[in-house]
Amino acid sequence: WGSLKDKALATSALTFSHPDSPFINPLSKRAVHFHGSVSVTAESALVADALTKVAIIDHEVAASVLPKFNASLSCSHPTANC
């Protein structure tokens, strides 16, 4: 991660969630099935927090969007697509 000076860190997790995920893919209208957590560093907490949700819902979209916000991503689960 490097230094967090002038950066923000946000984490979202579905580690202990019920089978009905609180995260819904807006395109498919279906619950997202993800077990683990994602953390994002960005220049603001607002952006970092929002990008954690994007990463949980669609990793490919997150990978294309993260550089635009000078952000980086880390996943806690070995089977996560991070």
mmCIF file of all heavy atoms in Angstrom, residues 8-9 13 15 17-18 22 27-28 38-39 50 58 67 69-70 73 78 80:
data_model
loop_
_atom_site.group_PDB
_atom_site.id
_atom_site.type_symbol
_atom_site.label_atom_id
_atom_site.label_comp_id
_atom_site.label_asym_id
_atom_site.label_seq_id
_atom_site.Cartn_x
_atom_site.Cartn_y
_atom_site.Cartn_z
ATOM 1 N N ALA A 8 -6.925 8.155 1.692
ATOM 2 C CA ALA A 8 -7.962 7.560 2.543
ATOM 3 C C ALA A 8 -8.036 6.077 2.244
ATOM 4 O O ALA A 8 -7.756 5.641 1.135
ATOM 5 C CB ALA A 8 -9.300 8.226 2.263
ATOM 6 N N LEU A 9 -8.428 5.303 3.245
ATOM 7 C CA LEU A 9 -8.570 3.862 3.104
ATOM 8 C C LEU A 9 -9.991 3.484 3.492
ATOM 9 O O LEU A 9 -10.489 3.903 4.532
ATOM 10 C CB LEU A 9 -7.579 3.137 4.019
ATOM 11 C CG LEU A 9 -7.703 1.620 4.117
ATOM 12 C CD1 LEU A 9 -7.336 0.974 2.796
ATOM 13 C CD2 LEU A 9 -6.808 1.099 5.229
ATOM 14 N N ALA A 13 -16.964 -5.391 3.297
ATOM 15 C CA ALA A 13 -16.841 -6.836 3.455
ATOM 16 C C ALA A 13 -18.203 -7.513 3.433
ATOM 17 O O ALA A 13 -19.187 -6.960 3.897
ATOM 18 C CB ALA A 13 -16.131 -7.149 4.764
ATOM 19 N N THR A 15 -18.049 -10.827 4.459
ATOM 20 C CA THR A 15 -17.539 -12.023 5.110
ATOM 21 C C THR A 15 -18.601 -12.766 5.900
ATOM 22 O O THR A 15 -18.697 -13.981 5.837
ATOM 23 C CB THR A 15 -16.366 -11.654 6.044
ATOM 24 O OG1 THR A 15 -15.414 -10.923 5.285
ATOM 25 C CG2 THR A 15 -15.710 -12.886 6.615
ATOM 26 N N SER A 17 -22.010 -12.106 5.773
ATOM 27 C CA SER A 17 -23.341 -11.747 5.294
ATOM 28 C C SER A 17 -24.207 -12.985 5.096
ATOM 29 O O SER A 17 -23.729 -14.092 4.929
ATOM 30 C CB SER A 17 -23.254 -10.957 3.987
ATOM 31 O OG SER A 17 -22.811 -11.781 2.958
ATOM 32 N N HIS A 18 -25.475 -12.758 5.106
ATOM 33 C CA HIS A 18 -26.447 -13.805 4.847
ATOM 34 C C HIS A 18 -26.433 -14.141 3.360
ATOM 35 O O HIS A 18 -25.880 -13.394 2.553
ATOM 36 C CB HIS A 18 -27.841 -13.330 5.263
ATOM 37 C CG HIS A 18 -27.943 -13.071 6.728
ATOM 38 N ND1 HIS A 18 -28.066 -14.079 7.638
ATOM 39 C CD2 HIS A 18 -27.909 -11.922 7.434
ATOM 40 C CE1 HIS A 18 -28.116 -13.555 8.854
ATOM 41 N NE2 HIS A 18 -28.015 -12.249 8.753
ATOM 42 N N PRO A 22 -26.391 -7.784 0.591
ATOM 43 C CA PRO A 22 -26.873 -6.403 0.560
ATOM 44 C C PRO A 22 -26.416 -5.664 -0.698
ATOM 45 O O PRO A 22 -26.861 -4.562 -0.964
ATOM 46 C CB PRO A 22 -26.265 -5.783 1.813
ATOM 47 C CG PRO A 22 -25.026 -6.579 2.048
ATOM 48 C CD PRO A 22 -25.337 -7.977 1.574
ATOM 49 N N LEU A 27 -27.064 -3.711 -13.003
ATOM 50 C CA LEU A 27 -27.360 -4.134 -14.369
ATOM 51 C C LEU A 27 -28.177 -5.418 -14.408
ATOM 52 O O LEU A 27 -29.138 -5.527 -15.158
ATOM 53 C CB LEU A 27 -26.066 -4.300 -15.171
ATOM 54 C CG LEU A 27 -25.230 -3.030 -15.324
ATOM 55 C CD1 LEU A 27 -23.930 -3.333 -16.048
ATOM 56 C CD2 LEU A 27 -26.008 -1.951 -16.041
ATOM 57 N N SER A 28 -27.791 -6.382 -13.585
ATOM 58 C CA SER A 28 -28.495 -7.671 -13.595
ATOM 59 C C SER A 28 -29.657 -7.705 -12.600
ATOM 60 O O SER A 28 -30.495 -8.583 -12.665
ATOM 61 C CB SER A 28 -27.530 -8.803 -13.267
ATOM 62 O OG SER A 28 -27.107 -8.721 -11.917
ATOM 63 N N VAL A 38 -12.848 -6.128 0.380
ATOM 64 C CA VAL A 38 -11.999 -5.346 -0.511
ATOM 65 C C VAL A 38 -11.665 -4.041 0.187
ATOM 66 O O VAL A 38 -12.490 -3.481 0.908
ATOM 67 C CB VAL A 38 -12.647 -5.069 -1.893
ATOM 68 C CG1 VAL A 38 -12.865 -6.341 -2.656
ATOM 69 C CG2 VAL A 38 -13.928 -4.300 -1.760
ATOM 70 N N SER A 39 -10.457 -3.580 -0.015
ATOM 71 C CA SER A 39 -10.017 -2.296 0.519
ATOM 72 C C SER A 39 -9.498 -1.460 -0.636
ATOM 73 O O SER A 39 -8.844 -1.976 -1.544
ATOM 74 C CB SER A 39 -8.908 -2.483 1.557
ATOM 75 O OG SER A 39 -9.390 -3.197 2.662
ATOM 76 N N ALA A 50 -16.820 4.441 -2.198
ATOM 77 C CA ALA A 50 -17.627 4.131 -3.386
ATOM 78 C C ALA A 50 -16.952 3.063 -4.249
ATOM 79 O O ALA A 50 -17.619 2.152 -4.749
ATOM 80 C CB ALA A 50 -17.867 5.390 -4.203
ATOM 81 N N ASP A 58 -18.387 -5.523 -9.585
ATOM 82 C CA ASP A 58 -17.819 -5.877 -10.893
ATOM 83 C C ASP A 58 -16.339 -5.523 -10.911
ATOM 84 O O ASP A 58 -15.968 -4.362 -11.119
ATOM 85 C CB ASP A 58 -18.558 -5.147 -12.007
ATOM 86 C CG ASP A 58 -18.198 -5.653 -13.397
ATOM 87 O OD1 ASP A 58 -17.037 -6.055 -13.617
ATOM 88 O OD2 ASP A 58 -19.087 -5.637 -14.260
ATOM 89 N N PRO A 67 -7.643 3.534 -11.875
ATOM 90 C CA PRO A 67 -6.588 4.473 -12.277
ATOM 91 C C PRO A 67 -7.090 5.910 -12.492
ATOM 92 O O PRO A 67 -6.353 6.863 -12.259
ATOM 93 C CB PRO A 67 -6.061 3.887 -13.591
ATOM 94 C CG PRO A 67 -6.441 2.448 -13.553
ATOM 95 C CD PRO A 67 -7.734 2.396 -12.789
ATOM 96 N N PHE A 69 -9.056 7.466 -10.710
ATOM 97 C CA PHE A 69 -9.157 8.117 -9.406
ATOM 98 C C PHE A 69 -7.869 7.989 -8.596
ATOM 99 O O PHE A 69 -7.868 8.247 -7.396
ATOM 100 C CB PHE A 69 -10.329 7.511 -8.611
ATOM 101 C CG PHE A 69 -11.666 7.875 -9.175
ATOM 102 C CD1 PHE A 69 -12.322 7.024 -10.053
ATOM 103 C CD2 PHE A 69 -12.263 9.085 -8.855
ATOM 104 C CE1 PHE A 69 -13.555 7.354 -10.577
ATOM 105 C CE2 PHE A 69 -13.498 9.435 -9.380
ATOM 106 C CZ PHE A 69 -14.148 8.571 -10.238
ATOM 107 N N ASN A 70 -6.794 7.582 -9.260
ATOM 108 C CA ASN A 70 -5.508 7.394 -8.589
ATOM 109 C C ASN A 70 -5.697 6.517 -7.350
ATOM 110 O O ASN A 70 -5.242 6.837 -6.265
ATOM 111 C CB ASN A 70 -4.882 8.745 -8.230
ATOM 112 C CG ASN A 70 -3.438 8.616 -7.829
ATOM 113 O OD1 ASN A 70 -2.755 7.679 -8.234
ATOM 114 N ND2 ASN A 70 -2.962 9.542 -7.018
ATOM 115 N N LEU A 73 -6.431 -1.146 -5.132
ATOM 116 C CA LEU A 73 -7.362 -2.131 -4.592
ATOM 117 C C LEU A 73 -6.620 -3.301 -3.991
ATOM 118 O O LEU A 73 -5.599 -3.745 -4.518
ATOM 119 C CB LEU A 73 -8.258 -2.628 -5.732
ATOM 120 C CG LEU A 73 -9.208 -3.780 -5.481
ATOM 121 C CD1 LEU A 73 -10.314 -3.358 -4.521
ATOM 122 C CD2 LEU A 73 -9.803 -4.252 -6.796
ATOM 123 N N PRO A 78 -8.635 -15.288 -1.026
ATOM 124 C CA PRO A 78 -7.786 -15.809 -2.099
ATOM 125 C C PRO A 78 -8.518 -16.124 -3.398
ATOM 126 O O PRO A 78 -7.910 -16.134 -4.452
ATOM 127 C CB PRO A 78 -7.187 -17.078 -1.496
ATOM 128 C CG PRO A 78 -8.035 -17.427 -0.337
ATOM 129 C CD PRO A 78 -8.660 -16.147 0.144
ATOM 130 N N ALA A 80 -10.985 -14.240 -4.566
ATOM 131 C CA ALA A 80 -11.531 -13.000 -5.104
ATOM 132 C C ALA A 80 -10.783 -12.622 -6.376
ATOM 133 O O ALA A 80 -9.597 -12.917 -6.532
ATOM 134 C CB ALA A 80 -11.425 -11.880 -4.079
#
